[in-house]
Amino acid sequence: MPNDETRPDTAQPRSPARPTLKTIARLAGLGVTTVSRALHDAPDIGEETKLRVRRLADSLGYQPNRAGVRLRTGRSHVIALVLATESEELGINSQLIYGLSEVLSATTYQLVVMLHDPAGDPLAPIRNIVEAGTADGILFARIEPEDARVRFLSERGVPFATHGRTAMGIEHPYFDFDNEAYAESAVCRLESLGRRRLALIAPPPHLTYARHMSAGFDGGIGRLGLDKVPVDAIDTDSPHELIQAEVSRLMERDDRPDGFVCGSAVAALSVTAGAEALGLVLGRDFDVVVKESSNLFRKFRPAIETAHEDFRAAGRWLAEAIVGRIEGTADAGIHFLDVPRLASPERTEEKAVLGSAR
């Protein structure tokens, strides 16, 4: 009978052992407790020791055993970002995630993105996370004035933060864009361009920021004595083709709108396409104002007025807020309201080109 040494091809190669706290402690000449406290930035451990331990852990590819951490501390060190599985608009979600990751990469927390069907119950994934205990904190968006998710998490004392705010009077950390101020300033900009009949392509009416945007739009219209052209058949969640078709229908009327305030970049593109399909010229026959998170319009359609909404900054703020809530260092009522900044670079040059072409 041949022995094992004569059959090397049948032996399975062993994967390298996963580095542990003991591995780091042995190589650093320190105790396991000291290494653990150094990795968790304990104040009684010297900065030189912390730096040496962290460099060694990084070089070894050390990752904490999350099951063990959870057993010892009751924490998963996971933060869940709950997003609807709707089509992403021009990289907004990726920018939000990038901002979150910028902050969380320097902590012990891991970001997990959880998707859910927008047609389903938005509370269901939140309830599943809480009941399974799979995350220490939860982030979510598309907030409603009376949001069941906010009430559920508040009643159970689960740390959370939102992109958007409610009208419930429940204190909770949130980052929001001042959509009321955006819409009113957009109306003012259109009025300064000589536009008198304005239409708003708003977000879905069940969302809080849709109410804010509509309030700002109506306020600006009333204050400046302009005409409002109602748009009820579409919103920013409507398919591109439907928005374009509805705008084309509006622009065929004798009392057609000559200015649009848009709640999303896709809506602005659809509005422009719908009007231009009839031979109308942007900057001559109509104007558009939109909030965007990239420089798409400034680069490719500079005649479209833009207000910048920084989703990457939102991600960074939300990351710091949720870690603070988990660790008890942030107040429940902390929030940040991003102020809109309208900009229209190169607009004069584009209008000059259009004028010379006519």
Side-chain angles (χ1 to χ4, degrees), residues 15-20 23 61-66:
S15 58
R18 177 178 178 174
T20 65
T23 309
Y62 168 76
Q63 293 291 331
N65 185 321
R66 296 192 178 275

Side-chain angles (χ1 to χ4, degrees), residues 89-160:
E89 182 189 309
L90 301 181
I92 284 177
N93 287 343
S94 60
Q95 291 181 52
L96 183 69
I97 292 170
Y98 193 94
L100 288 165
S101 300
E102 279 185 301
V103 173
L104 295 181
S105 62
T107 73
T108 60
Y109 293 93
Q110 179 182 21
L111 179 67
V112 174
V113 179
M114 306 188 71
L115 303 177
H116 72 92
D117 182 357
D121 178 9
L123 180 57
I126 302 293
R127 184 187 292 113
N128 291 340
I129 293 169
V130 173
E131 292 178 351
T134 52
D136 296 330
I138 304 175
L139 304 169
F140 53 99
R142 292 179 70 85
I143 308 303
E144 301 180 11
E146 298 291 327
D147 202 298
R149 298 167 295 179
V150 169
R151 188 175 303 281
F152 177 83
L153 293 171
S154 296
E155 290 175 349
R156 282 155 182 77
V158 177
F160 72 98

Side-chain angles (χ1 to χ4, degrees), residues 51-66:
L51 182 60
R52 182 159 61 96
V53 168
R54 287 170 185 160
R55 284 178 174 172
L56 185 55
D58 290 341
S59 68
L60 294 171
Y62 168 76
Q63 293 291 331
N65 185 321
R66 296 192 178 275

Side-chain angles (χ1 to χ4, degrees), residues 153-172:
L153 293 171
S154 296
E155 290 175 349
R156 282 155 182 77
V158 177
F160 72 98
T162 65
H163 188 260
R165 49 191 154 137
T166 73
M168 303 166 69
I170 296 177
E171 284 195 337
H172 64 92

Side-chain angles (χ1 to χ4, degrees), residues 230 233 244-253 274 278:
Q244 182 173 341
E246 179 64 15
V247 169
S248 291
R249 186 189 69 79
L250 287 174
M251 300 303 272
E252 288 179 327
R253 294 168 25 177
L278 301 177

Side-chain angles (χ1 to χ4, degrees), residues 309-336:
E309 183 173 11
D310 196 338
F311 279 85
R312 186 166 165 183
R316 290 194 296 265
W317 190 95
L318 288 168
E320 292 176 355
I322 192 63
V323 170
R325 290 299 295 151
I326 293 169
E327 299 184 349
T329 60
D331 184 76
I334 59 172
H335 60 269
F336 187 92

